[in-house]
Amino acid sequence: MKIKYLYKLLIVAFVAIQLVACSNGDTEEKFNETPTARTNAESKKLDDLLLSSEYGWKAVYFTDNTQLGGYTHLFKFSPGGKVTMASDFDSDTKKHDSQYEIQLGSTVSLVFTTANRIHLLSDSNSYPTKDLKGQGYLGDFQFLFYGEDKGDIVFRTNRKFEELRFIKATAADWANLSKNILMKGNVIGADTRSLFRFLETNDGTAVNQFDFNFNDITRFATADPIAAGLSKSFNVGIGYSPTGIIVSPAIEIKGQALSEFVYNDADGSFTANGTNGVSATIKYSNKPLVLTEDYKILLNGQPSSDFGYYEVDVTKVAPTNSILFKNEIKKINASLPAGAIIIAVELYFNHSKGNFIKYLFSDGGSIFHYVNVKEDPINKTLILTHKSWNGNVANPTPAFLADFDNYFLDAKGIYVNKESFRLYYTNTVYTFTSASSPFRMTTWKN
């Protein structure tokens, strides 16, 4: 009995060993074949998805939401590797045709193989700031396929491996893309609106305000707290839509993520609403939310100081220069002889020759407007009043400078603000803002 039992055990063990051996062989065979088969299946799946949407796909591409905004791209894929594309990168929102491929590597990826709108974000010769010279807008034209989620195609960017979703586009998306460019003007703000804006958040019980500043070149905004003791700031990339803006990262309030803001043309505000009273609104203010006493260093009896705006350097592209200011510079240039432009506006205080505004021109000429200086300590503004042109009280105001110069002599004064940012160089940056109009000039302290 014992021998027969032992014999049965040996047979069972032998069969088990054979089964394991066969199983291991099958596994090895499947291991060798599965990656190729799986990759081919994923490739076909992606191709089918790209071709499946009647109106193609839409992606709002934030290449780096720590310093840049979002760019809407529309794609309509066709058999044979053709793609029709449009974007709101600039005012050209027309459709453009090019080629695409689904390429196989460590993963399946969508590659736009010939130049189209998406390549504007990866062109190293085109960059929004000097800090991004040689890097462009940090964009990709190759996207790694990571599957489908609730009807969206999920990719990861090749450069930063960040998620990018293609959502099904509609006929309205194509028809209304040009409205994104019009919305850009609303985000910048018309020159008839106040210069000062703030972000107001409401968590259902408490309201907080943040000083809001937008850079239209980078499509990036900063919002710093106004109240003392509040340390949280919001720094967001902004993308345009026909009805408002999209922000990334989303503004989180009481566990709710707010990213889509709707524009109200009546007051120029943008609002995102959550639930239970949660909201965030970008609003205008008639004066700075935080009044500083930075103007005091310019009062009589202080050390000599001067500040300069230069058309031939980076003060020209400072995001804090207002549209009205830029338009007034253009008006001056239009009134000058052909080829001549204004190249600098400098403000001197407590100089050995007095207090004056100096206008410099490309033909070597200059004009001096001597002024008196006092303060409005209640409204915290600097008041400049006329003294003479070029040192002669009988000289009339130059007609081509009159409108521009009057903003400095605003009866309500000018706000002076020492900025926390720099403009490429180490010079401290100051802005001078008319108290009763949207005129603001950004300068270096020389």
Side-chain angles (χ1 to χ4, degrees), residues 81-110:
K82 178 184 174 183
V83 60
T84 299
M85 194 183 308
S87 84
D88 68 355
F89 178 83
D90 52 28
S91 59
D92 179 7
T93 57
K94 297 190 295 294
K95 298 176 182 178
H96 297 267
D97 293 333
S98 61
Q99 298 293 313
Y100 78 94
E101 292 179 0
I102 295 175
Q103 296 184 356
L104 308 183
S106 58
T107 186
V108 173
S109 63
L110 168 65

Side-chain angles (χ1 to χ4, degrees), residues 235-274:
N235 298 320
V236 295
I238 287 181
Y240 309 129
S241 77
T243 58
I245 60 174
I246 302 163
V247 304
S248 177
I251 292 175
E252 291 194 14
I253 305 171
K254 214 166 187 178
Q256 298 184 41
L258 305 181
S259 61
E260 297 185 12
F261 287 68
V262 177
Y263 176 64
N264 179 356
D265 188 56
D267 60 9
S269 65
F270 291 84
T271 301
N273 288 311

Side-chain angles (χ1 to χ4, degrees), residues 6 38 50 86 88 108 138 160 225 231 275 368 426 437:
L6 180 60
R38 182 177 179 181
L50 294 176
D88 68 355
V108 173
L138 303 177
K160 292 195 170 184
S231 59
T275 58
F368 294 76
T426 59
S437 71

Side-chain angles (χ1 to χ4, degrees), residues 40-265:
N40 289 336
E42 286 292 288
S43 176
K44 185 178 185 308
K45 179 180 179 180
L46 174 57
D47 197 33
D48 290 344
L49 282 171
L50 294 176
L51 299 174
S52 67
S53 177
E54 179 181 3
Y55 297 105
W57 301 88
K58 179 174 75 172
V60 183
Y61 186 12
F62 288 86
T63 59
D64 182 349
N65 64 9
T66 67
Q67 58 182 317
L68 295 169
Y71 301 85
T72 297
H73 286 74
L74 299 173
F75 311 93
K76 182 67 175 77
F77 298 91
S78 303
K82 178 184 174 183
V83 60
T84 299
M85 194 183 308
S87 84
D88 68 355
F89 178 83
D90 52 28
S91 59
D92 179 7
T93 57
K94 297 190 295 294
K95 298 176 182 178
H96 297 267
D97 293 333
S98 61
Q99 298 293 313
Y100 78 94
E101 292 179 0
I102 295 175
Q103 296 184 356
L104 308 183
S106 58
T107 186
V108 173
S109 63
L110 168 65
V111 183
F112 296 99
T113 52
T114 57
N116 207 323
R117 305 295 290 167
I118 194 74
H119 293 83
L120 295 171
L121 297 177
S122 59
D123 181 2
S124 61
N125 293 319
S126 172
Y127 45 90
T129 66
K130 286 189 175 183
D131 290 340
L132 291 174
K133 183 176 181 179
Q135 302 178 70
Y137 286 77
L138 303 177
D140 281 311
F141 53 85
Q142 178 176 8
F143 303 97
L144 313 179
F145 178 49
Y146 270 75
E148 182 184 12
D149 180 41
K150 298 177 182 177
D152 298 348
I153 306 178
V154 182
F155 293 98
R156 288 196 176 274
T157 59
N158 188 52
R159 182 183 294 196
K160 292 195 170 184
F161 204 64
E162 293 181 345
E163 184 178 286
L164 177 67
R165 286 181 175 245
F166 282 24
I167 65 173
K168 286 186 177 179
T170 65
D173 288 327
W174 292 92
N176 295 330
L177 185 61
S178 61
K179 293 182 179 180
N180 289 20
I181 303 302
L182 298 178
M183 188 58 62
K184 175 183 177 180
N186 297 326
V187 181
I188 295 171
D191 60 7
T192 54
R193 294 197 188 277
S194 172
L195 284 171
F196 308 108
R197 280 192 288 190
F198 61 98
L199 170 68
E200 183 173 271
T201 63
N202 188 337
D203 67 3
T205 56
V207 174
N208 289 302
Q209 294 179 332
F210 304 78
D211 187 30
F212 181 87
N213 289 284
F214 173 68
N215 185 331
D216 66 295
I217 296 173
T218 57
R219 299 191 184 185
F220 195 75
T222 58
D224 297 316
I226 294 167
L230 188 63
S231 59
K232 186 173 185 178
S233 294
F234 296 102
N235 298 320
V236 295
I238 287 181
Y240 309 129
S241 77
T243 58
I245 60 174
I246 302 163
V247 304
S248 177
I251 292 175
E252 291 194 14
I253 305 171
K254 214 166 187 178
Q256 298 184 41
L258 305 181
S259 61
E260 297 185 12
F261 287 68
V262 177
Y263 176 64
N264 179 356
D265 188 56

Side-chain angles (χ1 to χ4, degrees), residues 279-291:
S279 67
T281 305
I282 301 167
K283 301 179 178 181
Y284 281 97
S285 170
N286 290 326
K287 64 179 182 180
L289 297 176
V290 178
L291 296 176

